Amino acid sequence: MQVLNVQEALLTNYEVLLVLQEEDARHKDIQATASRHHARYPENVTTLKFEALQYLNNTSCTSQDGAQLSGLKERLREYELTKAEILQIANLRPKAPVELYLIIEECGDRFQAEDLDAMLEIVASELPREEMLEMCEEQVMVNGDAEMAAAVDEEEQEYDEDEDMAEDDELVHANDRVVDEPADEGDD
Amino acid sequence: MFVLTSIHDTLKIVPAEFRKSREEAIKDEINRKYSNRVLHDVGLCMLVHDLVEIDEGYVQHSEGWIWVKVHFRMVVFRPFRDEIMVGKVRSASPAGVQISIGFFDDITVPAEMMPQGCEFDTTEGVWVWRYEGSDLFMDLDEDVRFRVLRVDFLDVNPPRGEKEGVKPPYQLVCGINDSGLGLLSWWGE
């Protein structure tokens, strides 16, 4: 076994989400058509796929696509940001200047406040995301209840996922963990 | 957060897998071997991204399976230094806070890297940030933004020294002592 190139390319969360979704669709196809015996996937694969999908589905990359990302890169070109900075902007979808200060190195020296506002506006227009805006407004209005509502919504999403996978033997254990202890996962 | 790593390896395809297409069988074998495992000095392997090159494969005499030399690219979780990420608070102790992102749990924020004015509340068992008169609690399961400061790979091959506790093979040491870092709710989100 030989690692030829540890970092051949950087991947955005969106690209990794695509890979996971493809693999998930392939697994589901095979499990639907093949016999029980042939449909077993090893536990490390199913655990990783499930947990990674769960994490990425809760980030802003679910509403992104290739066109949005190239549009974002094109419009940010004039600011001469490094690859790592553009990658983090795409992954984190910042909404406030304080986030840009974290992502961009020596932000105060390189950019003025107007530049940062312009960048945030570019992010909002190139990576649109309507549902998140509505949820944010709710939270601003009624903090405590909205948090409860958001938590309940998340639990409902988890239950929906469980229904899809209810028939799979090896995933029953994973489902139990999700329902009982969402924050507690084991891995290698 | 994720990188593409180019790897060359020799894998065996057992006869039970011959019903699949060549690429599918090889990809499944790669995932079986690498998925959710830490490669030393590389990172946490997720799934295979694509196959670059495979040779015809050969069968050793006295064995029944095919050995194939594969050059492939793998999606690897490997955050770079100073990367900003979002996770959930998993546990807290006087030594610091443990954060989890679901598929990877060994993310620690040591006590020195907590914001100024933060202390551990032993009655509640959580860290609390005493900022400008108000007490902001770092409750478990809250979303938190953090910066990766250091990446630690530990060689877990034997021989191992005395058992001082199981150390993870891949650990991220992070900080939240900057404006914008810490619980998302502290910064109005």
Side-chain angles (χ1 to χ4, degrees):
Chain A
M1 195 275 274
Q2 202 193 353
V3 176
L4 301 170
N5 190 346
V6 165
Q7 193 168 295
E8 191 166 294
L10 292 172
L11 295 175
T12 56
N13 287 5
Y14 164 70
E15 289 163 312
V16 176
L17 181 69
L18 280 187
V19 172
L20 287 165
Q21 286 174 336
E22 241 181 73
E23 191 68 12
D24 195 32
R26 196 167 71 88
H27 284 201
K28 290 205 162 107
D29 267 344
I30 293 184
Q31 277 164 342
T33 55
S35 75
R36 212 80 286 221
H37 173 71
H38 287 152
R40 313 232 114 194
Y41 276 98
E43 195 228 319
N44 55 329
V45 178
T46 50
T47 308
L48 179 96
K49 181 172 58 87
F50 177 71
E51 293 175 350
L53 274 174
Q54 195 177 42
Y55 175 73
L56 289 177
N57 279 330
N58 274 330
T59 64
S60 57
C61 67
T62 49
S63 58
Q64 291 175 357
D65 63 41
Q68 288 181 0
L69 290 176
S70 2
L72 178 77
K73 195 166 142 203
E74 194 52 47
R75 288 190 64 188
L76 288 177
R77 189 189 295 267
E78 59 176 295
Y79 296 105
E80 291 181 353
L81 297 166
T82 65
K83 242 192 212 175
E85 289 164 355
I86 302 184
L87 184 86
Q88 288 185 83
I89 290 177
N91 285 346
L92 297 169
R93 198 176 177 270
K95 300 195 271 290
V98 67
E99 296 176 68
L100 287 178
Y101 271 99
L102 288 174
I103 294 175
I104 301 175
E105 243 179 290
E106 292 173 15
C107 192
D109 295 334
R110 283 159 70 186
F111 300 109
Q112 309 293 330
E114 310 87 59
D115 297 321
L116 297 184
D117 287 334
M119 278 193 241
L120 291 174
E121 197 265 306
I122 292 176
V123 169
S125 68
E126 293 296 323
L127 307 176
R129 197 169 162 79
E130 288 88 25
E131 335 85 77
M132 282 304 294
L133 281 176
E134 286 172 26
M135 264 185 63
C136 281
E137 283 175 29
E138 276 182 51
Q139 281 181 4
V140 163
M141 281 165 47
V142 187
N143 258 331
D145 288 346
E147 279 176 30
M148 281 293 293
V152 168
D153 280 345
E154 273 183 39
E155 278 180 21
E156 283 178 10
Q157 276 183 20
E158 286 169 9
Y159 280 118
D160 285 343
E161 277 187 59
D162 292 350
E163 277 166 27
D164 286 343
M165 298 190 285
E167 278 121 40
D168 299 332
D169 286 342
E170 65 254 50
L171 287 173
V172 166
H173 187 55
N175 288 345
D176 286 343
R177 282 188 296 153
V178 165
V179 169
D180 292 338
E181 297 167 344
D184 200 16
E185 306 285 356
D187 62 290
D188 294 350
Chain B
M1 212 188 304
F2 300 105
V3 300
L4 211 55
T5 297
S6 200
I7 299 178
H8 186 282
D9 198 2
T10 310
L11 299 159
K12 79 177 184 208
I13 314 292
V14 297
E17 304 273 295
F18 289 174
R19 61 192 157 79
K20 299 181 190 168
S21 79
R22 169 152 274 205
E23 287 81 24
E24 238 183 80
I26 292 176
K27 278 190 177 177
D28 282 345
E29 190 60 32
I30 295 173
N31 285 336
R32 178 176 302 131
K33 183 170 174 184
Y34 289 92
S35 202
N36 211 14
R37 305 216 156 112
V38 172
L39 270 183
H40 190 66
D41 280 344
V42 173
L44 175 73
C45 296
M46 314 266 297
L47 291 176
V48 63
H49 184 265
D50 56 8
L51 304 174
V52 177
E53 200 182 323
I54 52 182
D55 76 349
E56 297 106 42
Y58 53 94
V59 182
Q60 300 262 50
H61 61 265
S62 85
E63 286 178 351
W65 44 76
I66 297 183
W67 290 100
V68 192
K69 287 201 165 74
V70 194
H71 175 201
F72 60 94
R73 298 194 296 184
M74 173 129 257
V75 176
V76 173
F77 171 69
R78 183 196 171 88
F80 46 87
R81 214 162 62 92
D82 289 341
E83 180 166 1
I84 309 293
M85 303 206 298
V86 176
K88 282 194 191 291
V89 177
R90 188 166 66 115
S91 66
S93 75
V97 168
Q98 291 272 88
I99 298 176
S100 156
I101 48 177
F103 57 94
F104 187 72
D105 285 345
D106 298 311
I107 302 174
T108 354
V109 180
E112 314 83 71
M113 294 300 159
M114 304 289 289
Q116 284 274 15
C118 234
E119 51 188 46
F120 185 66
D121 186 341
T122 31
T123 42
E124 305 251 344
V126 292
W127 282 80
V128 57
W129 190 25
R130 307 198 193 280
Y131 179 69
E132 288 181 359
S134 52
D135 283 352
L136 303 164
F137 285 89
M138 280 189 83
D139 294 323
L140 299 187
D141 234 16
E142 286 287 328
D143 283 331
V144 54
R145 191 181 289 129
F146 56 94
R147 171 186 276 128
V148 177
L149 296 174
R150 202 176 76 228
V151 169
D152 285 337
F153 282 103
L154 181 73
D155 192 353
V156 288
N157 287 322
R160 263 171 263 196
E162 263 83 78
K163 254 218 163 141
E164 337 145 312
V166 185
K167 291 229 176 79
Y170 180 36
Q171 189 175 240
L172 300 179
V173 175
C174 307
I176 51 174
N177 54 351
D178 216 346
S179 30
L181 298 176
L183 254 49
L184 294 187
S185 51
W186 295 349
W187 304 100
E189 289 169 50

